[in-house]
Amino acid sequence: MHPTSGQQIDHASVIKLPGIIPCRYWIMLMSGVGLMISYADRSNVAVGIVAIGREYGYTKPQQGLILASFFFGYILTPIMGGALADRYGGKSVLAIGALAWSVFTLLTPVASGSGLFWIVLVRIALGLGEGVAYPSIHAMIGTWIPPSERSKAVATIWGASDPLSCRWITEHEKYWILEQQQLDQTEQDDAYHHRRSAEDLRDTREQIRTVDNGGSPVTYQSLPAINHSEHNISLRGSEDSQTALQASTSSMQPNSDENDLVYRMDGASAQSSRWQAFRDRIRSGGSDGGLRRAQKKEAVPWRALLARREVWAIILSQLFNSLGYFVMQSWVPTFYLDFYGVDVGKIGYYAVVPSAVQGIMGLLAGYLGDKAIEDWGWATLTVRRASQTVGSIGLGLFLLLAVNFAHTAPLAMILIMVGMALNGFTMIGASAYQHDFCPQHAGFIFSLGNTAGSIPALLGVFLVGVLLDRHDGTNPWSIIWTLVCIFYVVGTAAFLLLSTHKKFLQ
């Protein structure tokens, strides 16, 4: 449909059905579909490598190299993609990446029969294109999704990466959308800021800078006038440089020496969060009655971000958990073939069903996470930590049960399916934590963890192939899944120790 004159959108930056479906739900749905395509294009070789190896005579180490070569490209583009998405918007970055990975997916069958060099080269190029997918989508989540819906958003989009769960999403998403109440988003944001403690605000004390009179520093107490309201403080200077600063102050006294606020005033208006800026622009429509493209953001403060323990909680969690996850996703089909002798034609079902269950459970986890925060009074950090613990350690334990106690392939699939269902909770764990800590740079922060996780995944996926080729009568799969479980435990411990409730405020 075409927007009316009062809904003109510069550069077609938004698709909206007025009064029916808010824009953010379209973004969630389409991002989920895009991620499903991305995940299918990257993981289909894990199933196909069984037939490819037999048809073209690739050894186990060569198969490991083919599977791992994807990560050679995948580690190069996430940080760049995340920074570009945070600054210019995730839509364009995601579109370019999708074009690239689609082209090289089409070339994969031809390259498979052309020799090891060509299939490895195509897989590297595929990784280059897919490296921008997750950071771009996280950037859009940080822009468009309010805090009260981010668990559902991350779980819904991530759940769509599992093939069978996509049908569940398309059938049930419309009912979820229609059941959402049209809450006043301003009140939601006020409630969100109201929950910030005085300790969070102490991180931003020191001084308030304004641009009038040469930008001389102004402290909280020295401002000419202070008007109080229940959740907002309006700080007013001279008539030539009136600016507004909104902050949560119910838990702090305006005249406290310990709680000086630091905010950087930009021109005639205060810097607000990405969600607030976009929400206000969309709801008001601007003076010309249209929606405008967001202005380019400032450069990512990567030095300040890397100095925060919360960022390292994400990086280390991704580093250890990704190794286990990617090893499992890459080699589970071969595990069924070698360990249980499953027919090649049925391996796809054994690999897809647990992933589909993971996606559906991830959707349920998203609803439970937001409900726990909004209705049950749970702290957001408690939800993130509990979800990450259940999801990571649960999968590791059920992988060990499968390889040590399951004597048939169906029983092994059931155990792995239970572990993958529990792993669905990680979608609202560390994967969503950057939106709590720093939503305005969520794409960049996620890209740091994604890159960190790709490096050991590259080595791990390759070394598994070497281990399978050189084992001396022992059970290599027991060793492999034990190592995966250990990595899950270490990654979870790092997240629990380093994550905090603090926010990154510039």
Side-chain angles (χ1 to χ4, degrees), residues 44-45 47-58 63 66 108-109 112-113 119:
N44 54 14
V45 173
V47 177
I49 195 67
V50 176
I52 291 173
R54 286 185 172 183
E55 183 171 350
Y56 300 111
Y58 293 128
Q63 292 177 33
I66 292 171
T108 299
S112 300
I119 181 62

Side-chain angles (χ1 to χ4, degrees), residues 277-295:
F278 269 66
R279 182 209 64 200
D280 294 341
R281 184 178 294 109
I282 291 169
R283 289 170 68 89
S284 64
S287 59
D288 60 352
L291 301 177
R292 296 184 179 275
R293 180 182 291 269
Q295 296 179 353

Side-chain angles (χ1 to χ4, degrees), residues 4 8 28 37-38 49 79 176 186 198 202 204 212 227 235 260 262 265 275 280-281 286 352 354 385 467 470 493:
T4 62
Q8 286 296 323
M28 289 166 57
I37 296 172
S38 166
I49 195 67
I79 293 179
W176 174 57
T186 303
R202 289 193 191 99
T204 59
D212 64 312
N227 294 331
L235 306 179
D260 292 339
V262 178
M265 310 307 291
W275 162 246
D280 294 341
R281 184 178 294 109
V352 169
R385 287 175 170 176
L467 180 62
R470 298 183 179 181

Side-chain angles (χ1 to χ4, degrees), residues 264-341:
R264 184 174 298 277
M265 310 307 291
D266 183 16
S269 62
Q271 289 284 351
S272 60
S273 69
R274 296 179 74 197
W275 162 246
Q276 288 174 307
F278 269 66
R279 182 209 64 200
D280 294 341
R281 184 178 294 109
I282 291 169
R283 289 170 68 89
S284 64
S287 59
D288 60 352
L291 301 177
R292 296 184 179 275
R293 180 182 291 269
Q295 296 179 353
K296 293 181 180 179
K297 291 176 55 64
E298 296 179 357
V300 175
W302 59 272
R303 292 180 186 272
L305 289 171
L306 287 175
R308 297 294 296 265
R309 60 183 288 178
E310 295 85 358
V311 173
W312 285 100
I314 296 171
I315 291 175
L316 293 177
S317 174
Q318 291 272 35
L319 187 150
F320 289 101
N321 289 334
S322 293
L323 183 143
Y325 184 78
F326 286 125
V327 166
M328 190 197 69
Q329 289 294 316
S330 298
W331 286 106
V332 157
T334 304
F335 166 64
Y336 285 120
L337 177 68
D338 292 351
F339 199 71
Y340 295 106

